[in-house]
Amino acid sequence: MSNTTTTAFEAEAITTKERTQLQLVTKRFFRHKAAVISLIGFITIVLFAFVGPYLWQWDHRIHTEIPSWAPPSPEHPFGSDRAGRDMMGTVMRATGQSLKVALVVALGSTFIGAVVGAVAGYYRGWVDALLMRLVDILFVIPFLVITAAMAGNVRGGTTWWHMALILMVFGWLGTSRAVRAEVLSLREKEFIEAARSVGGSDLHIIFRHLIPNTMSVIIVSATLQIAFAILSESTLSFLGLGIQAPDTSLGLLIQAAESSAFSERWYLFYIPGIFVILIALTINFVGDGLRDAMDPRQTMVRR
Amino acid sequence: MLVFTIRRIVMMIPVLIGASLLAFVLVSVSGDPVADQVFILEQSTGEPVPQETVDNIKERLYYDRSLPERYWLWLTGIGETNGDIGLLQGEWGPSIEGSAIDVGEEIGSRFWITLRLVLFATVASIAIAILTGVVSAVKQYSKVDYLLTFIGFLALSMPTFWFGLLMKEAAVQTNNAIGSTFFQTYRDSTRGFHGNGWEVFLDAIPYLIIPTIVLMLTGYAAMSRYQRASMLEVLNSDYVRLARAKGVRNGTVMRRHALRTALIPVATFAPLGLATAMGGSLVIERIFGWRGLGAFAYDAITHNDAFAVLGYLFISGVIVLIGILISDLMYGVLDPRIRYE
């Protein structure tokens, strides 16, 4: 009898519930309205690009049944181009290709950047000096020109896979600097000392302790990588140095409609452009929301 | 100050050499200009190219040497008597086009066309970014802040080439509507125009307006975010609160106490903006039909002209390093704790 009263009393007294880190972050993220709307928008675009082709009757190829220069209509919501491609299907394919490049670049260069940053920050000394000089040096080389020079020379035509690899070579620089800065302060903390004193190897400390604790920096920079990769990929494709026809990409579509912004076929210019902007915009907002949500200095109250 | 500047310049030499080495290796492994030339010859003559011609091309482009040897020759020219290679001796290496193009001369004649665009755009974007960043921070969470933040994000997400095409067509429409050609949307200056420095400058203005606005976009976007964040941090700091508590007037607090400190992170970031603008000039010059360094790089890339690409990478590396030097010197002006001894 008395036992139950105490528990009921205790339950009343404890008003704060324990929350895991993930719950806290999710809760904070969902308070950021722009970020949530952007996340929904981004997921919609991903579904449009990867599930859309299974539901839509036309693909990105030329079909003789499709009239040339068809204006937007229920059969062809985005119209058609001169050769007779349905633009809805083409934009789906193009968005998919650009997104594939972006996601691979984000994963790959975030991984490279995290490892380089953690290794440099953990070992300090000559390893750090060497790696960070390498980053400095790569920053001096103009990114767009060197990637263009590499992408323009791929034998047998550049595919989305080549694009991803080339962008990855230069994509990791910012991430590595951010992770290194975090690790430099983390390595002096007690838990790293504890891990070392119980005999944890360097590899163990880097991959099990340091990198997980810099996750917030890593996730934020990964989202920004997606935006960066989409913009770089479409720029290179626009210049004719990226993904090559007969495959398609958003940059190629804009290039094909280069001077039609104010003509009667304005939609051929704006639709692919708006897709590039929407992908980059939504992902930038998601990154911003994640940064706010994962910042340990943030409280539940907005200052 | 002078000693500091000289020391920084000396420290930049290894970075420049390292960058040139990396660029050389990347350009070399990603394409083979000799194979390209042979292919073009085969296409035009319709028969297989004799081995002798292949060897001649190889010899002319120094592709009969190993990669390290070729790099050494490109950098110093020591051990070669042809006199067309070796940066140290002022020679930029043979172009794939043969004697029709001298890489060094081309870069020299196009340098100012691109530099004035890049400088105008970078300086203007920094100025506007500082202004909007500060306004955004001072009026945090107001309508103005939200609007400026949204514009910043939009600018960050907009591809330069798309915005450039849009602005170009808009300028053409405006010209048609007002019945004059105030905005020049093609070429970088009037064809065959001659005059003194001032007249050349005046002539270039109508050509510069639209491309400068377009090129400002990327630099502005990132920089205004940085400026807002750093200004917010400073405004919430104790010493600004102290200054206010002392009764210092608001304008003075902003100018003398807050802004000066808040500019430091932006000074770090500015050279990166210069680097992005150099890359962006490739796109701008392609859209507006300029004949500057960007167009030079574009042609060199599409023709797989290795030494021309390397020449461009070298000169733009030098420009970026000069930008970094200027930003290092700016630190001292902004942060009195830094001493150049």
Side-chain angles (χ1 to χ4, degrees):
Chain A
M1 177 72 191
S2 65
N3 209 2
T4 42
T5 13
T6 359
T7 25
F9 176 72
E10 269 173 6
E12 229 167 88
I14 301 167
T15 48
T16 45
K17 231 176 42 209
E18 190 195 356
R19 291 203 188 94
T20 63
Q21 185 70 23
L22 186 69
Q23 279 172 320
L24 268 177
V25 168
T26 331
K27 202 166 160 123
R28 285 206 211 112
F29 180 80
F30 278 100
R31 280 185 316 140
H32 195 311
K33 268 197 219 94
V36 177
I37 295 170
S38 296
L39 184 64
I40 296 170
F42 182 69
I43 293 172
T44 315
I45 295 172
V46 171
L47 290 178
F48 172 80
F50 294 115
V51 181
Y54 294 104
L55 305 175
W56 185 245
Q57 49 179 330
W58 303 109
D59 59 9
H60 66 286
R61 294 192 183 84
I62 300 170
H63 293 273
T64 42
E65 312 86 288
I66 301 175
S68 183
W69 297 133
S73 63
E75 295 94 78
H76 305 292
F78 293 172
S80 74
D81 72 355
R82 194 179 63 169
R85 289 184 190 86
D86 172 62
M87 287 314 281
M88 182 87 162
T90 312
V91 168
M92 279 176 184
R93 167 78 178 188
T95 312
Q97 295 301 83
S98 300
L99 277 174
K100 273 195 273 183
V101 173
L103 296 176
V104 171
V105 172
L107 283 177
S109 54
T110 306
F111 180 77
I112 303 173
V115 171
V116 170
V119 166
Y122 179 68
Y123 287 107
R124 309 263 318 261
W126 66 269
V127 179
D128 184 29
L130 194 73
L131 288 173
M132 285 304 114
R133 283 303 84 71
L134 180 69
V135 171
D136 287 348
I137 285 171
L138 284 174
F139 260 123
V140 172
I141 305 176
F143 165 78
L144 192 68
V145 178
I146 190 79
T147 45
M150 291 167 75
N153 283 328
V154 177
R155 297 260 141 220
T158 320
T159 63
W160 73 269
W161 181 240
H162 293 122
M163 289 301 297
L165 282 181
I166 291 166
L167 290 177
M168 225 186 272
V169 176
F170 285 86
W172 55 274
L173 305 177
T175 314
S176 77
R177 274 192 177 168
V179 171
R180 173 180 172 271
E182 264 320 78
V183 166
L184 276 181
S185 74
L186 274 179
R187 73 190 292 277
E188 310 295 337
K189 295 269 162 67
E190 285 87 351
F191 75 95
I192 298 296
E193 206 176 310
R196 207 177 296 140
S197 66
V198 295
S201 66
D202 287 349
L203 220 62
H204 174 85
I205 291 173
I206 289 173
F207 281 97
R208 299 305 298 271
H209 296 287
L210 289 174
I211 291 185
N213 274 290
T214 48
M215 249 331 155
S216 62
V217 178
I218 291 174
I219 289 175
V220 170
S221 73
T223 57
L224 299 180
Q225 290 281 352
I226 296 180
F228 154 83
I230 282 277
L231 293 179
S232 320
E233 186 277 323
S234 60
T235 305
L236 290 176
S237 297
F238 166 76
L239 290 172
L241 300 166
I243 293 177
Q244 305 286 324
D247 203 344
T248 186
S249 101
L250 291 170
L252 277 179
L253 291 182
I254 297 172
Q255 191 221 335
E258 212 174 315
S259 51
S260 48
F262 292 92
S263 74
E264 66 217 272
R265 288 186 281 273
W266 51 271
Y267 46 88
L268 292 179
F269 174 77
Y270 288 103
I271 291 172
I274 286 170
F275 265 88
V276 177
I277 296 173
L278 274 183
I279 296 171
L281 191 65
T282 53
I283 207 73
N284 275 329
F285 269 118
V286 171
D288 196 51
L290 281 174
R291 185 180 3 227
D292 282 357
M294 293 201 202
D295 187 352
R297 283 170 299 183
Q298 279 266 334
T299 50
M300 289 302 280
V301 199
R302 240 190 168 178
R303 266 177 300 174
Chain B
M1 187 81 171
L2 185 69
V3 177
F4 173 83
T5 314
I6 292 169
R7 204 168 56 209
R8 291 295 309 187
I9 292 173
V10 171
M11 273 163 65
M12 278 171 178
I13 292 171
V15 175
L16 191 60
I17 291 176
S20 74
L21 175 63
L22 267 175
F24 196 93
V25 172
L26 286 173
V27 170
S28 293
V29 298
S30 68
D32 182 358
V34 176
D36 261 39
Q37 282 298 83
V38 171
F39 180 75
I40 292 168
L41 268 179
E42 244 167 41
Q43 292 292 305
S44 59
T45 56
E47 49 197 67
V49 180
Q51 188 57 38
E52 200 186 334
T53 321
V54 177
D55 289 343
N56 277 340
I57 297 173
K58 268 194 183 160
E59 201 188 323
R60 189 169 68 77
L61 296 176
Y62 296 95
Y63 265 68
D64 51 346
R65 319 294 177 95
S66 66
L67 200 153
E69 206 178 338
R70 202 161 65 239
Y71 175 69
W72 172 252
L73 275 180
W74 176 72
L75 194 67
T76 64
I78 293 168
E80 188 50 59
T81 46
N82 278 0
D84 63 348
I85 195 164
L87 278 181
L88 264 186
Q89 300 168 17
E91 295 296 335
W92 297 71
S95 162
I96 204 160
E97 317 285 350
S99 51
I101 291 180
D102 180 284
V103 176
E105 250 170 49
E106 281 290 315
I107 289 178
S109 68
R110 290 157 177 260
F111 183 72
W112 295 108
I113 298 176
T114 301
L115 193 72
R116 67 179 181 216
L117 169 71
V118 166
L119 282 186
F120 273 140
T122 312
V123 171
S125 65
I126 291 173
I128 297 179
I130 290 173
L131 188 72
T132 55
V134 167
V135 168
S136 222
V138 172
K139 308 240 179 249
Q140 197 191 7
Y141 299 139
S142 69
K143 282 215 177 72
V144 181
D145 179 28
Y146 283 124
L147 182 70
L148 287 175
T149 304
F150 185 75
I151 292 174
F153 269 104
L154 195 63
L156 198 62
S157 314
M158 200 169 337
T160 318
F161 68 93
W162 188 81
F163 185 57
L165 291 172
L166 186 65
M167 291 298 287
K168 179 187 178 183
E169 293 303 315
V172 171
Q173 296 295 317
T174 319
N175 281 342
N176 287 345
I178 59 177
S180 80
T181 48
F182 178 68
F183 296 114
Q184 300 290 341
T185 53
Y186 195 71
R187 294 182 67 90
D188 44 70
S189 53
T190 310
R191 172 172 280 180
F193 184 83
H194 290 290
N196 61 31
W198 180 243
E199 283 163 356
V200 168
F201 178 73
L202 282 184
D203 171 65
I205 288 177
Y207 295 89
L208 266 169
I209 298 172
I210 303 284
T212 307
I213 293 174
V214 175
L215 196 54
M216 275 166 56
L217 181 82
T218 23
Y220 164 77
M223 222 109 61
S224 68
R225 298 295 297 158
Y226 272 86
Q227 181 64 55
R228 178 180 181 272
S230 75
M231 188 72 183
L232 272 180
E233 203 170 312
V234 171
L235 284 181
N236 288 326
S237 68
D238 290 336
Y239 79 91
V240 167
R241 211 165 297 136
L242 176 72
R244 286 190 200 285
K246 262 192 338 189
V248 180
R249 258 184 292 137
N250 190 40
T252 318
V253 172
M254 288 297 171
R255 262 181 292 117
R256 300 282 307 276
H257 296 76
L259 182 60
R260 188 165 170 171
T261 316
L263 282 177
I264 294 173
V266 178
T268 332
F269 200 71
L272 258 175
L274 194 64
T276 343
M278 279 304 289
S281 72
L282 200 73
V283 173
I284 301 283
E285 294 185 11
R286 151 83 176 67
I287 291 175
F288 294 97
W290 283 34
R291 305 292 307 153
L293 281 180
F296 175 74
Y298 180 74
D299 290 343
I301 290 167
T302 46
H303 294 141
N304 202 352
D305 196 344
F307 287 114
V309 174
L310 289 166
Y312 173 86
L313 290 173
F314 189 82
I315 199 77
S316 90
V318 170
I319 294 174
V320 171
L321 282 176
I322 292 174
I324 294 176
L325 180 71
I326 294 172
S327 103
D328 280 350
L329 295 175
M330 287 293 289
Y331 278 147
V333 180
L334 295 171
D335 189 345
R337 285 171 305 182
I338 295 177
R339 289 274 166 268
Y340 294 126
E341 264 98 56

